Amino acid sequence: MALKAAFISLIMMLFAYAAHAAQKETDLPALSGCSVVAERTGKAALAEIAYLHRKQIDAKDAYSVEYKCSKGSVFIWASFSKDPLQARKLFMDMDMKMPQSKVFTDMKRMKVDGMSVTEVQGMGMDNYYFLKDTANYWLAVKDADSSKYLKELIKAVK
Protein backbone atom coordinates (compact mmCIF):
# COMPACT_ATOMS: atom_id res chain seq x y z
CA MET A 1 0.00 0.00 0.00
CA ALA A 2 2.83 2.41 0.89
CA LEU A 3 4.54 1.60 -2.41
CA LYS A 4 1.33 2.37 -4.31
CA ALA A 5 0.97 5.73 -2.49
CA ALA A 6 4.61 6.59 -3.27
CA PHE A 7 4.08 5.70 -6.93
CA ILE A 8 0.95 7.88 -7.14
CA SER A 9 2.83 10.76 -5.46
CA LEU A 10 5.67 10.41 -7.97
CA ILE A 11 3.26 10.44 -10.92
CA MET A 12 1.50 13.55 -9.53
CA MET A 13 4.85 15.31 -9.11
CA LEU A 14 5.82 14.47 -12.70
CA PHE A 15 2.51 15.86 -14.00
CA ALA A 16 2.96 19.02 -11.91
CA TYR A 17 6.49 19.46 -13.24
CA ALA A 18 5.34 18.95 -16.84
CA ALA A 19 2.52 21.45 -16.38
CA HIS A 20 4.94 23.99 -14.89
CA ALA A 21 7.45 23.49 -17.74
CA ALA A 22 4.74 23.91 -20.37
CA GLN A 23 3.36 26.99 -18.65
CA LYS A 24 6.79 28.63 -18.36
CA GLU A 25 7.31 28.53 -22.14
CA THR A 26 4.54 31.01 -22.81
CA ASP A 27 4.66 33.11 -19.64
CA LEU A 28 4.75 36.80 -20.52
CA PRO A 29 8.04 38.37 -19.42
CA ALA A 30 7.87 41.06 -16.76
CA LEU A 31 9.74 44.23 -17.75
CA SER A 32 10.77 46.79 -15.14
CA GLY A 33 8.85 50.06 -15.29
CA CYS A 34 6.36 48.60 -17.77
CA SER A 35 2.79 47.38 -17.60
CA VAL A 36 0.98 45.15 -20.07
CA VAL A 37 -1.61 47.04 -22.14
CA ALA A 38 -2.43 44.31 -24.67
CA GLU A 39 -1.69 40.62 -24.99
CA ARG A 40 -2.61 37.82 -27.33
CA THR A 41 -1.84 34.15 -26.91
CA GLY A 42 -2.43 30.93 -28.79
CA LYS A 43 -4.28 31.10 -32.11
CA ALA A 44 -4.79 34.88 -31.94
CA ALA A 45 -1.04 35.46 -31.50
CA LEU A 46 -0.20 32.92 -34.22
CA ALA A 47 -2.55 34.75 -36.60
CA GLU A 48 -0.92 38.08 -35.75
CA ILE A 49 2.58 36.72 -36.32
CA ALA A 50 1.46 35.10 -39.60
CA TYR A 51 0.12 38.49 -40.69
CA LEU A 52 3.47 40.13 -39.89
CA HIS A 53 5.32 37.41 -41.83
CA ARG A 54 2.80 37.66 -44.68
CA LYS A 55 2.43 33.87 -44.51
CA GLN A 56 1.46 31.09 -42.13
CA ILE A 57 4.22 30.01 -39.78
CA ASP A 58 4.86 26.50 -38.55
CA ALA A 59 4.58 26.93 -34.78
CA LYS A 60 2.60 25.22 -32.04
CA ASP A 61 2.04 28.26 -29.82
CA ALA A 62 2.77 31.98 -29.58
CA TYR A 63 2.20 35.18 -27.69
CA SER A 64 2.39 38.87 -28.45
CA VAL A 65 2.42 41.53 -25.80
CA GLU A 66 2.47 45.31 -25.78
CA TYR A 67 3.86 47.18 -22.79
CA LYS A 68 3.54 50.84 -21.83
CA CYS A 69 6.67 51.82 -19.97
CA SER A 70 7.64 54.81 -17.86
CA LYS A 71 9.39 55.97 -21.04
CA GLY A 72 8.19 54.60 -24.36
CA SER A 73 6.64 51.33 -25.43
CA VAL A 74 7.85 47.76 -25.84
CA PHE A 75 6.42 44.99 -28.01
CA ILE A 76 7.35 41.30 -27.89
CA TRP A 77 6.32 38.58 -30.32
CA ALA A 78 7.28 34.99 -29.50
CA SER A 79 6.52 31.80 -31.38
CA PHE A 80 7.16 28.29 -30.11
CA SER A 81 7.92 25.47 -32.53
CA LYS A 82 7.56 21.76 -31.89
CA ASP A 83 11.34 21.25 -31.92
CA PRO A 84 14.60 23.25 -32.23
CA LEU A 85 15.07 22.33 -35.90
CA GLN A 86 11.67 23.75 -36.84
CA ALA A 87 12.39 26.89 -34.79
CA ARG A 88 15.74 27.34 -36.55
CA LYS A 89 14.08 26.99 -39.97
CA LEU A 90 11.58 29.72 -39.08
CA PHE A 91 14.43 31.92 -37.82
CA MET A 92 16.50 31.36 -40.98
CA ASP A 93 13.51 32.12 -43.24
CA MET A 94 13.05 35.46 -41.50
CA ASP A 95 16.76 36.22 -41.23
CA MET A 96 17.44 35.60 -44.93
CA LYS A 97 14.66 38.00 -45.96
CA MET A 98 15.80 40.81 -43.69
CA PRO A 99 18.57 42.25 -45.95
CA GLN A 100 16.02 42.76 -48.77
CA SER A 101 13.44 44.37 -46.48
CA LYS A 102 12.25 47.87 -47.34
CA VAL A 103 10.95 48.29 -43.79
CA PHE A 104 13.93 47.13 -41.71
CA THR A 105 17.47 48.42 -42.25
CA ASP A 106 20.91 48.57 -40.64
CA MET A 107 21.12 44.85 -39.82
CA LYS A 108 23.72 44.11 -37.15
CA ARG A 109 24.64 40.88 -35.39
CA MET A 110 25.80 40.91 -31.79
CA LYS A 111 26.18 38.86 -28.64
CA VAL A 112 24.16 39.97 -25.64
CA ASP A 113 24.57 38.02 -22.41
CA GLY A 114 25.78 35.02 -24.42
CA MET A 115 22.81 35.13 -26.82
CA SER A 116 23.24 35.69 -30.59
CA VAL A 117 20.96 38.62 -31.43
CA THR A 118 20.20 40.45 -34.66
CA GLU A 119 19.33 44.14 -34.51
CA VAL A 120 17.47 46.06 -37.21
CA GLN A 121 15.96 49.51 -37.38
CA GLY A 122 12.47 50.09 -38.68
CA MET A 123 8.95 51.33 -38.02
CA GLY A 124 10.48 54.04 -35.80
CA MET A 125 11.78 51.39 -33.36
CA ASP A 126 14.88 49.49 -32.36
CA ASN A 127 14.12 45.86 -33.25
CA TYR A 128 15.90 42.73 -32.07
CA TYR A 129 15.28 39.09 -32.84
CA PHE A 130 16.83 35.88 -31.61
CA LEU A 131 16.36 32.15 -31.33
CA LYS A 132 16.29 30.26 -28.03
CA ASP A 133 15.73 26.48 -28.16
CA THR A 134 12.26 26.07 -29.72
CA ALA A 135 11.35 29.76 -29.49
CA ASN A 136 11.79 32.75 -31.78
CA TYR A 137 11.60 36.18 -30.13
CA TRP A 138 11.18 39.63 -31.68
CA LEU A 139 11.50 42.69 -29.47
CA ALA A 140 10.58 46.18 -30.69
CA VAL A 141 11.31 49.21 -28.50
CA LYS A 142 10.02 52.72 -29.14
CA ASP A 143 11.33 55.80 -27.33
CA ALA A 144 12.97 53.81 -24.51
CA ASP A 145 16.30 52.23 -23.53
CA SER A 146 16.22 49.31 -25.95
CA SER A 147 19.38 47.62 -24.64
CA LYS A 148 17.87 47.52 -21.14
CA TYR A 149 14.71 45.76 -22.33
CA LEU A 150 16.67 43.41 -24.59
CA LYS A 151 18.76 42.29 -21.61
CA GLU A 152 15.64 41.88 -19.47
CA LEU A 153 13.95 39.74 -22.13
CA ILE A 154 17.03 37.55 -22.56
CA LYS A 155 17.29 37.08 -18.80
CA ALA A 156 13.59 36.19 -18.61
CA VAL A 157 13.80 33.50 -21.31
CA LYS A 158 17.13 31.88 -20.32
Side-chain angles (χ1 to χ4, degrees):
M1 189 63 138
L3 185 57
K4 186 176 180 180
F7 179 73
I8 291 171
S9 292
L10 176 61
I11 295 298
M12 290 175 61
M13 286 181 0
L14 288 172
F15 278 123
Y17 174 78
H20 174 71
Q23 177 188 9
K24 186 175 183 183
E25 180 178 84
T26 56
D27 283 349
L28 301 178
L31 299 177
S32 62
C34 301
S35 57
V36 174
V37 294
E39 68 180 82
R40 283 155 300 286
T41 59
K43 288 182 181 181
L46 283 167
E48 180 179 339
I49 293 170
Y51 174 78
L52 294 169
H53 280 255
R54 306 280 191 255
K55 69 176 192 170
Q56 291 298 316
I57 62 167
D58 193 8
K60 66 177 182 150
D61 204 0
Y63 68 75
S64 68
V65 59
E66 177 183 351
Y67 301 85
K68 180 66 179 145
C69 305
S70 54
K71 290 185 179 179
S73 301
V74 175
F75 305 85
I76 299 172
W77 291 270
S79 68
F80 303 92
S81 299
K82 69 178 181 179
D83 59 51
L85 186 61
Q86 194 176 54
R88 177 159 269 317
K89 182 184 179 318
L90 182 61
F91 178 88
M92 295 305 294
D93 287 349
M94 179 175 58
D95 196 51
M96 291 182 67
K97 291 176 184 174
M98 204 53 63
Q100 290 81 37
S101 173
K102 293 179 176 148
V103 176
F104 298 104
T105 61
D106 300 324
M107 186 175 182
K108 296 176 187 142
R109 302 203 191 275
M110 63 184 86
K111 285 276 191 186
V112 178
D113 295 340
M115 187 76 65
S116 294
V117 177
T118 303
E119 176 184 10
V120 292
Q121 298 299 308
M123 308 288 290
M125 296 180 274
D126 298 330
N127 298 272
Y128 304 91
Y129 60 95
F130 60 92
L131 176 68
K132 170 75 168 94
D133 301 328
T134 62
N136 277 284
Y137 294 93
W138 183 288
L139 171 74
V141 181
K142 184 172 180 70
D143 301 328
D145 182 355
S146 60
S147 63
K148 170 188 169 185
Y149 293 118
L150 174 61
K151 288 180 180 183
E152 286 189 30
L153 175 60
I154 289 172
K155 184 178 179 183
V157 301
K158 273 193 166 183

